[in-house]
Amino acid sequence: MSIHPPVSPPAIVCVGETMALITPTGAALADADAATLGLAGAESNVAAGIVSAGHRSAWASRLGDDPLGSRIASELSDRGIELWVQRDADAPTGVMFKDPGAEGSTVYYYRAGSAAASMAPGFLAADQLAGVRIVHTTGITPALSASCRAMVDELFTEARAAGALVSFDVNDRRPLWSMADAAATLARLADASDICFVGRDEAERIWGTRTATEIRSHLPGCDLLVVKDGEIGATAFHGDAEPVFVPAPQVDVVEPVGAGDAFASGFLAATLEDRPLAERLAAGHAAAARVLTIAADMPPIR
């Protein structure tokens, strides 16, 4: 089944897997008698943030032709996200379990062989992306399968052929692939992107870079590199210009999950508005702060 975008294109297309999220209530996963059912997906989180900032965004992916896929599609549509989605009758929608604990949450993925993991070259072509200003994906997508990795490589080429900027969030997920594969592939894709987001801590983990300046030296090819350093702030390197740093606001954190996606959505929305670099960073911080104060990846639908 092919994707047929609307005649009038959205400003941004976000490409990647969204899973059903199961979270136990009142106890750890091994002991709970009840759980809540939601959704989790970095790229759809960004798409939702773009819509909440007043811009059109689409989410492109594959879902199983099953009730979990229908639930995900329904909620994302209710949020105003345009769906560029293929449904797969033979592969399931991915599932993620969250296991809360006193020292933080542990997650368990059941996404091998999912519908989204079968994305492959040809999934999106330049003519489908015509008029789109930004194509966004993350380092999660190439980690899903060899075909997804090849699809992301092609996506960079097709996005540029369509005149769109390529936005890439490193978003390393340790359970999905080896450190060696992650370090090499994420560096290659980050360096090839027009806009790249990376956490200082994850960069140190996978590349051994300790500072924002060292990360910039490791990724010299990326035109606009944004290094996030948690509660300290974020630094943007644009071409050969002097880096711009904006401190993060003080926030009473409820849960950090989803804050990085929110930051990317705020920054990209401000980019669509052609705002100065410092204002884009501030918009990213503001969007992240809204998510940090709730126990979910996205604010509730109003």
Side-chain angles (χ1 to χ4, degrees), residues 1 13 19 22 52 80 89 97 100 102 108 126 134 140 142 152 157 190 212 218 222 235 269-270 275-276 286 293 296:
M1 184 195 328
V13 175
M19 300 165 289
I22 298 173
S52 68
F97 287 84
Y108 298 91
I134 298 174
I140 300 169
V152 171
T157 300
H218 194 69
C222 176
T235 304
R275 290 160 63 181
T293 57

Side-chain angles (χ1 to χ4, degrees), residues 5 10-11 33 42 91 106 117 141 149 154 164 185 191 201 233 236-237 258 264 266 277 282:
D33 295 320
T106 302
T141 307
R149 195 176 309 185
E154 183 184 79
T185 301
D191 202 45
D201 54 348
F237 299 84
L277 201 48

Side-chain angles (χ1 to χ4, degrees), residues 27-117:
L29 191 58
D31 304 313
D33 295 320
T36 59
L37 179 59
L39 56 85
E43 296 84 4
S44 57
N45 287 346
V46 173
I50 294 291
V51 169
S52 68
H55 299 278
R56 286 177 58 199
S57 70
W59 171 67
S61 190
R62 306 186 82 249
L63 291 167
D65 190 11
D66 51 34
L68 294 178
S70 297
R71 184 183 179 109
I72 289 169
S74 178
E75 176 165 340
L76 295 180
S77 181
D78 287 347
R79 289 180 177 273
I81 299 168
E82 300 170 31
L83 303 184
W84 293 13
V85 173
Q86 297 173 349
R87 302 296 293 269
D88 192 324
D90 299 316
T93 300
V95 178
M96 169 180 160
F97 287 84
K98 183 183 290 187
D99 193 11
E103 302 301 319
S105 297
T106 302
V107 298
Y108 298 91
Y109 294 127
Y110 295 83
R111 62 200 309 177
S114 70

Side-chain angles (χ1 to χ4, degrees), residues 1-287:
M1 184 195 328
S2 61
I3 294 171
H4 299 285
V7 174
S8 174
I12 183 168
V13 175
C14 302
V15 185
E17 181 172 37
T18 295
M19 300 165 289
L21 171 63
I22 298 173
T23 307
T25 55
L29 191 58
D31 304 313
D33 295 320
T36 59
L37 179 59
L39 56 85
E43 296 84 4
S44 57
N45 287 346
V46 173
I50 294 291
V51 169
S52 68
H55 299 278
R56 286 177 58 199
S57 70
W59 171 67
S61 190
R62 306 186 82 249
L63 291 167
D65 190 11
D66 51 34
L68 294 178
S70 297
R71 184 183 179 109
I72 289 169
S74 178
E75 176 165 340
L76 295 180
S77 181
D78 287 347
R79 289 180 177 273
I81 299 168
E82 300 170 31
L83 303 184
W84 293 13
V85 173
Q86 297 173 349
R87 302 296 293 269
D88 192 324
D90 299 316
T93 300
V95 178
M96 169 180 160
F97 287 84
K98 183 183 290 187
D99 193 11
E103 302 301 319
S105 297
T106 302
V107 298
Y108 298 91
Y109 294 127
Y110 295 83
R111 62 200 309 177
S114 70
S118 66
M119 286 188 290
F123 178 65
L124 286 176
D127 60 340
Q128 296 169 298
L129 297 169
V132 173
R133 292 181 59 188
I134 298 174
V135 174
H136 176 79
T137 191
T138 77
I140 300 169
T141 307
L144 297 178
S145 66
S147 68
C148 280
R149 195 176 309 185
M151 183 275 293
V152 171
D153 284 335
E154 183 184 79
L155 182 65
F156 276 41
T157 300
E158 296 298 317
R160 292 219 172 87
L165 295 174
V166 174
S167 170
F168 182 74
D169 192 336
V170 169
N171 231 334
D172 177 47
R173 291 292 186 269
R174 282 292 77 241
L176 294 179
W177 50 357
S178 72
M179 182 68 81
D181 280 350
T185 301
L186 294 175
R188 176 174 59 80
L189 293 171
D191 202 45
S193 62
D194 298 301
I195 303 170
C196 176
F197 303 93
V198 62
R200 190 207 57 77
D201 54 348
E202 69 178 343
E204 182 172 7
R205 182 175 67 244
I206 57 178
W207 300 320
T209 51
R210 294 170 295 175
T211 67
T213 301
E214 288 182 11
I215 297 169
R216 181 51 163 171
S217 296
H218 194 69
L219 304 172
C222 176
D223 183 53
L224 177 51
L225 173 67
V226 180
V227 179
K228 303 168 293 179
D229 197 2
E231 62 186 17
I232 295 173
T235 304
F237 299 84
H238 193 189
D240 296 325
E242 285 295 311
V244 176
F245 172 80
V246 173
Q250 291 188 337
V251 178
D252 292 326
V253 178
V254 173
E255 186 176 72
V257 176
D261 304 328
F263 182 98
S265 73
F267 186 96
L268 292 174
T271 298
L272 292 171
E273 297 160 8
D274 297 318
R275 290 160 63 181
L277 201 48
E279 291 186 18
R280 300 186 205 182
L281 293 170
H285 284 317

